[in-house]
Amino acid sequence: MQNKSNISSRQFMILTTFFTIGSAILVVPSGITALARQDAWIAALIGLAIGIGLIWMYILLAKQHPNKSLVEMMAILLGKWLGGAIALLFVASFFLAGPTSSLNILGNFLTIQMMPETPMLSLNLLFAIIVMMGVYLGIEVLARSSELFIPWIALLLTALILFVSFDIKPTNLQPVLEEGFMSLGPAVLSFLSAVFLPNFILLMIFPHVNNESNEAGRALLIGTVMGCILMIIIVLLIILVFGPEYTARSMYPTYELARKISIGDFLQRLEAIVASTWFISLYFRMAIYLFAFSAAIAQIFKLKDYRALILPLGMLLVALSQFIHPNIPAQQQWNVRVWTPYTALTGFIIPLIMLCLSGLRNLRQKNKINEKI
């Protein structure tokens, strides 16, 4: 098995923040607003409260198996063969549902908004090659690179928020809770499926964090919450500026928000702010996905080095991204009918079962110790 690189808890926190933002910063606002209208920001706040509980569940599972990756935890709790089979099924299905869809969203965005005459295959291939290069260099290099980008991302997003604040209309948030809290359920689930539930895969990186499990857990929690708070601010700003009707109809409302910036005749059309922020965060999300899947398969099949898997997985990712969503409406239906229930299974049901099995295993071990005494 490959040697484990070491990254600091701070670097892990930054990677978690980028992973949480990922493709969500561009597509989540329209999806959640279509479900909750002007109360989308309230649904996001409820999602934050529930999501913190989910992250604590992941942290507790990791604490019970220190220095073990997600795949190694499954092998311990379910046995070598059953755990390996379930881990392989989990990795394969998540590979199809997660990074493949994200790469498709990237291609659609570029061909619709920026380069309509360029084939989507070419754009996806170029982006995937850069991702593969980063993953080949290792998680430590990716973590250090994230430290270089985070100040610029913070600066760009702060500028976006400040410039757009001149166009807000508080009346766009009214009426508040017109249909009550219960009507926010679908929007809360949609927000959790985009921002919190996929972070279960980050347990593959836990063994690479060179601090104690408490530090890694704290970094996971803080990074996820930071990304979530940013998403809530973006959702709130978009509704305040455009209103719920336009936000729900727009494919990329965050991009449209940046295009609306106009201060005098010298500061306008700053959509590059959002585009560059999204490209960077999506890059790290895709790189983490590819690293996690390569490392997981290497652990399942006892390979010496995960790097041999990067090229075939990357090419498979590009090929599948051309077919997973034939058009934008199909992508939107996928997010509602497939992605949301799928992430509920992989990000809640599976870790909950693993946590219960871990608790039973620890209880059995304590009983054996007591019997010997």
Side-chain angles (χ1 to χ4, degrees):
M1 192 62 212
Q2 72 272 15
N3 294 326
K4 293 181 179 179
S5 303
N6 289 325
I7 63 177
S8 68
S9 58
R10 179 177 180 272
Q11 292 169 339
F12 184 47
M13 179 187 69
I14 296 173
L15 285 176
T16 301
T17 302
F18 278 132
F19 187 84
T20 302
I21 298 172
S23 56
I25 192 173
L26 205 65
V27 298
V28 161
S30 61
I32 190 174
T33 305
L35 295 171
R37 315 307 293 176
Q38 67 274 7
D39 295 325
W41 65 279
I42 300 177
L45 283 174
I46 297 172
L48 171 61
I50 298 173
I52 290 174
L54 290 172
I55 299 302
W56 274 115
M57 181 169 64
Y58 304 160
I59 294 172
L60 183 59
L61 184 62
K63 283 183 178 180
Q64 294 184 0
H65 302 87
N67 300 319
K68 300 296 181 183
S69 70
L70 179 59
V71 168
E72 292 169 333
M73 292 180 203
M74 290 182 176
I76 292 172
L77 296 174
L78 301 172
K80 179 180 178 181
W81 297 105
L82 179 59
I86 293 178
L88 183 61
L89 180 62
F90 170 81
V91 169
S93 61
F94 213 106
F95 182 82
L96 292 173
T100 304
S101 179
S102 296
L103 191 58
N104 179 272
I105 293 172
L106 170 72
N108 281 329
F109 172 77
L110 289 174
T111 52
I112 291 173
Q113 298 289 343
M114 294 184 171
M115 293 176 279
E117 297 182 1
T118 305
M120 189 173 75
L121 177 60
S122 301
L123 298 170
N124 288 357
L125 180 61
L126 287 173
F127 193 80
I129 289 173
I130 300 172
V131 170
M132 287 187 286
M133 291 172 59
V135 176
Y136 185 83
L137 293 174
I139 189 65
E140 188 172 356
V141 173
L142 287 172
R144 290 180 178 179
S145 300
S146 68
E147 288 186 294
L148 298 177
F149 282 107
I150 194 64
W152 296 103
I153 295 297
L155 180 62
L156 291 174
L157 290 175
T158 301
L160 172 66
I161 293 170
L162 289 177
F163 292 147
V164 170
S165 62
F166 294 104
D167 296 317
I168 63 174
K169 300 174 184 177
T171 55
N172 286 334
L173 296 180
Q174 299 174 352
V176 178
L177 294 175
E178 183 179 16
E179 299 181 6
F181 273 105
M182 298 304 295
S183 63
L184 300 180
V188 173
L189 289 175
S190 177
F191 187 77
L192 288 172
S193 70
V195 178
F196 282 98
L197 292 169
N199 288 20
F200 183 48
I201 199 70
L202 292 175
L203 292 185
M204 285 299 303
I205 304 179
F206 252 67
H208 298 272
V209 182
N210 58 14
N211 297 96
E212 297 295 330
S213 59
N214 289 338
E215 293 294 326
R218 189 179 298 111
L220 177 64
L221 178 62
I222 295 174
T224 305
V225 170
M226 287 174 59
C228 179
I229 291 174
L230 174 61
M231 288 304 308
I232 294 173
I233 294 173
I234 294 296
V235 170
L236 182 60
L237 270 178
I238 292 174
I239 296 174
L240 282 168
V241 173
F242 292 129
E245 298 297 332
Y246 181 86
T247 303
R249 291 196 307 268
S250 176
M251 286 189 297
Y252 309 111
T254 313
Y255 186 73
E256 296 293 332
L257 186 69
R259 294 180 66 177
K260 191 174 178 61
I261 295 175
S262 179
I263 300 177
D265 295 326
F266 66 97
L267 192 59
Q268 52 187 335
R269 298 298 300 270
L270 299 180
E271 57 268 26
I273 291 178
V274 170
S276 59
T277 299
W278 184 56
F279 292 151
I280 293 171
S281 63
L282 184 63
Y283 170 81
F284 283 104
R285 184 180 179 91
M286 296 290 296
I288 290 171
Y289 268 136
L290 186 57
F291 172 81
F293 296 143
S294 301
I297 294 175
Q299 290 175 11
I300 292 171
F301 293 102
K302 307 299 182 183
L303 303 180
K304 292 183 178 180
D305 196 342
Y306 73 92
R307 290 180 174 88
L309 301 169
I310 294 174
L311 181 60
L313 284 177
M315 292 299 98
L316 180 62
L317 180 63
V318 173
L320 291 175
S321 69
Q322 305 303 301
F323 308 106
I324 189 169
H325 302 314
N327 49 53
I328 298 298
Q331 173 196 317
Q332 294 171 339
Q333 290 298 316
W334 164 276
N335 291 336
V336 175
R337 297 183 179 180
V338 178
W339 181 246
T340 298
Y342 174 77
T343 52
L345 171 65
T346 57
F348 176 66
I349 302 299
I350 290 179
L352 181 61
I353 293 174
M354 291 177 64
L355 195 60
C356 292
L357 291 175
S358 181
L360 291 174
R361 181 172 176 269
N362 292 337
L363 183 61
R364 190 180 299 115
Q365 290 178 345
K366 289 181 179 179
N367 290 335
K368 288 183 179 180
I369 294 175
N370 293 334
E371 289 176 359
K372 290 181 179 180
I373 296 175

